[in-house]
Amino acid sequence: MKKNLREEHGIEIVETKPIEDKELVFLEGFPDVGLVGTIVTSYLIDKLGLEEVGYINAELLPPIIAVREERLKELLRIYRGGKIVAIISDIPLPASLAKPMAYTLMNWAKSKEPELFISLSGLPEPNRLNIDKPGVFVLGCKPELTERLVRVNGVNKFKEGFIAGVKGMLLREGWKLNVNTAIVLAQSHYNYPDPGAAAEIVLYLSKLLKLEVDVAPLLESAEELKLRLRDLMRRTDQMMHGVQKAKELELPPVYL
Amino acid sequence: MERKPLWRIILDEVRRMEAEVNKMEEEIFKMIKEAEGMRKCITPLYNLYESGDEVILTADLPGANKEEIELVAGEDYFKIEAPCRSPVRKIQEGRYILHVRLPVKIDPETIRARYKEGVLEVVAKKKITGYKIKVE
C-alpha cells in the first residue's frame, strides 16, 4: 500500500509501507560535514537490516534518479526496522531546500508521535588530524532532552556555536513543534569523508538506543569508504558553501 | 508596464549569480571527471591555507601507501603523486595527481610532511622577503 502523507512546499513524503507505530526513533543522515551522518545512517541501515519503506521527492531536487544493481532508487529514502526509522540521501540537499525540507519532515515526523528525532553530523575540527578518538557532542532542542542524552558516558554537551543547513532547521522546527529533537555530532574533518568520526557516533547510538552494532567493520573499511565517497564529498562541500556551513567553525557573538 | 520593486530586482540578481556559480562549479566537476576518466588519474580532495608564518596543505589520499607518495615542492608550488589502491578489491584504482600553486612563496627547506589515516599534511614556512620596520 502506498501512502502519500505530506505534500507541502513542493515536497512529497511517500510511505510505500505505512509507518503506523508510535514512539519510534528517527535518524536523519543527510550529507554534510565529513559525511558523518550519511556514513552512520547507511552503516546502521546495513547492519540492522532496515527495510526501505518510503521516499521523499521535492521539486527543488535535481532531475536525477539513482540506479543500483539494475534497480531504480529514489535519491532520498526512508528505511525502517524495529523502532528505528532512518532517512538518507544520495545527494547533498540544495541550500534552498533546507528550510522547506525541515518544515515538512518535522511535521511528518510529529504525526508519528516519535520518541526521538536525531540528526547526525560532523563537528568541523581543524585539528582533526591530531585527534585519535573524536569527541561526541549532543544537543537537544530543550535542556531536559540534552540532559537525558548526555547521561551516556563519554559524551559532551554542545554548548555554543552555530548549526547550519537542514540539521539546524530540523532542530528549530522540532523545538517549535515540541518534538524531542536532537543533534549528535562527532569531531570531524570538514570536507573529507570521516568514517572514524562516524564510528564514534555509532558507538554512542548503540549505547543510547541499546542497539547491537559492531563498529569494527566500519573502521576496517574506512579507506575504501573514503575512496567511494569522494565525489559525494566534493558536491557536499559545494552545498556547504550555500548554507554557510563554515559558520560552524565560529562562535556566536557575545555582547557585553 | 509595472516596474519591479528594488528588492525583487536584487533577489533576481542574487538568483542569477547563484545560477552562474552553480554552472561554473558543474563545469569544474565535469572537467575533473573527464580528466580522471581519460588519464586514469584521481584529483584528491584537498585544503590549502595559511596559518601565521606557515602554509599548510592537506590532501585526502585514501588507499595510498606512505612509501609511494611522491611530494615535490618549489618556492610556489606543491606537486603530489601516488598510486591509489582499493583496500578491499586490492586493485590499483588510478593515480592521485595534485599540482597546487601556492598563494605565497615558501622556503622548501622547511617543509615537513606526514601521512595519517589516509590524509597527507604538508607544512612549510613562508619565505621572508620583507624588512622588519620599527613602529614608533
Side-chain angles (χ1 to χ4, degrees):
Chain A
M1 181 185 151
K2 188 170 154 178
K3 196 173 169 190
N4 184 342
L5 273 180
R6 292 273 162 194
E7 195 167 356
E8 294 176 66
H9 295 94
I11 297 172
E12 175 188 38
I13 300 179
V14 178
E15 294 174 27
T16 48
K17 292 185 180 173
I19 301 169
E20 282 164 352
D21 300 311
K22 304 205 184 304
E23 301 285 305
L24 298 168
V25 175
F26 287 70
L27 301 175
E28 169 271 304
F30 294 141
D32 75 342
V33 176
L35 299 181
V36 173
T38 310
I39 297 171
V40 174
T41 313
S42 55
Y43 189 71
L44 291 178
I45 288 169
D46 181 46
K47 294 298 167 202
L48 298 174
L50 306 189
E51 183 191 8
E52 194 173 331
V53 295
Y55 63 88
I56 305 171
N57 193 17
E59 280 171 25
L60 287 168
L61 285 174
I64 299 169
I65 185 101
V67 184
R68 293 242 177 95
E69 294 168 348
E70 301 170 23
R71 284 169 185 259
L72 295 179
K73 285 275 180 193
E74 294 286 344
L75 295 175
L76 276 73
R77 299 180 299 280
I78 304 167
Y79 291 81
R80 163 90 198 273
K83 66 173 183 176
I84 305 291
V85 176
I87 304 155
I88 196 162
S89 172
D90 283 347
I91 59 161
L93 299 192
S96 48
L97 197 50
K99 283 187 176 180
M101 179 61 76
Y103 176 85
T104 311
L105 197 52
M106 193 52 72
N107 273 282
W108 171 73
K110 186 180 169 70
S111 72
K112 310 287 176 200
E113 298 175 34
E115 183 196 337
L116 274 172
F117 187 108
I118 307 177
S119 287
L120 307 167
S121 185
L123 184 64
E125 172 52 68
N127 201 29
R128 172 71 180 90
L129 212 52
N130 295 319
I131 296 172
D132 291 328
K133 187 175 166 57
V136 174
F137 292 79
V138 295
L139 174 72
C141 63
K142 42 194 178 185
E144 312 87 82
L145 180 58
T146 307
E147 290 302 331
R148 181 184 146 194
L149 295 171
V150 87
R151 272 183 223 142
V152 174
N153 287 342
V155 297
N156 314 281
K157 289 179 190 171
F158 180 88
K159 289 189 175 170
E160 274 181 316
F162 293 102
I163 297 164
V166 68
K167 291 164 200 286
M169 292 303 98
L170 280 164
L171 265 178
R172 180 173 181 264
E173 292 298 335
W175 178 38
K176 286 182 159 192
L177 293 170
N178 201 25
V179 175
N180 274 338
T181 308
I183 187 162
V184 177
L185 310 114
Q187 289 175 308
S188 159
H189 289 295
Y190 179 69
N191 58 351
Y192 304 152
D194 199 332
E200 293 302 322
I201 292 190
V202 172
L203 282 172
Y204 171 73
L205 291 176
S206 303
K207 289 182 203 161
L208 180 76
L209 305 173
K210 301 189 171 43
L211 307 172
E212 284 187 22
V213 187
D214 180 12
V215 291
L218 174 59
L219 293 170
E220 283 160 16
S221 59
E223 296 247 323
E224 185 73 23
L225 260 178
K226 277 158 75 84
L227 257 177
R228 282 198 242 147
L229 294 175
R230 194 177 66 251
D231 288 334
L232 176 59
M233 187 73 257
R234 213 186 295 278
R235 287 202 174 267
T236 302
D237 192 18
Q238 177 195 1
M239 172 282 287
M240 291 196 293
H241 293 305
V243 296
Q244 297 190 13
K245 204 70 187 170
K247 192 98 187 146
E248 292 183 2
L249 291 159
E250 301 172 22
L251 284 174
V254 176
Y255 307 98
L256 295 174
Chain B
M1 201 174 90
E2 200 178 323
R3 282 187 64 184
K4 278 187 192 175
L6 182 62
W7 67 267
R8 184 82 239 177
I9 295 168
I10 293 169
L11 195 64
D12 285 350
E13 183 59 16
V14 169
R15 285 196 174 140
R16 190 192 63 74
M17 284 160 62
E18 265 181 6
E20 279 294 310
V21 170
N22 285 342
K23 196 175 153 195
M24 277 159 53
E25 285 179 326
E26 202 56 43
E27 276 297 312
I28 293 168
F29 284 129
K30 186 168 157 259
M31 278 162 55
I32 289 172
K33 295 313 288 179
E34 279 178 351
E36 287 186 351
M38 282 191 295
R39 296 177 55 206
K40 271 276 175 196
C41 71
I42 303 168
T43 309
L45 301 166
Y46 74 95
N47 289 307
L48 177 70
Y49 52 98
E50 295 176 53
S51 176
D53 62 347
E54 292 180 327
V55 174
I56 301 166
L57 171 84
T58 64
D60 198 28
L61 308 174
N65 185 337
K66 190 171 81 174
E67 282 72 33
E68 292 179 306
I69 298 172
E70 292 171 22
L71 169 63
V72 179
E75 279 193 336
D76 62 351
Y77 73 90
F78 289 138
K79 193 175 172 193
I80 296 160
E81 287 198 30
C84 166
R85 288 185 185 82
S86 160
V88 171
R89 284 172 286 173
K90 308 280 181 203
I91 53 163
Q92 185 160 330
E93 294 274 331
R95 192 169 176 80
Y96 287 116
I97 298 181
L98 180 65
H99 196 163
V100 183
R101 189 68 58 185
L102 304 179
V104 292
K105 287 196 172 178
I106 55 152
D107 179 355
E109 290 192 2
T110 65
I111 294 175
R112 57 186 198 276
R114 63 173 169 159
Y115 181 66
K116 189 181 172 193
E117 291 168 9
V119 178
L120 175 72
E121 181 189 60
V122 186
V123 183
K125 293 266 187 214
K126 292 177 187 171
K127 191 170 186 178
I128 299 164
T129 52
Y131 295 95
K132 197 171 180 182
I133 295 152
K134 189 170 184 272
V135 179
E136 293 174 13

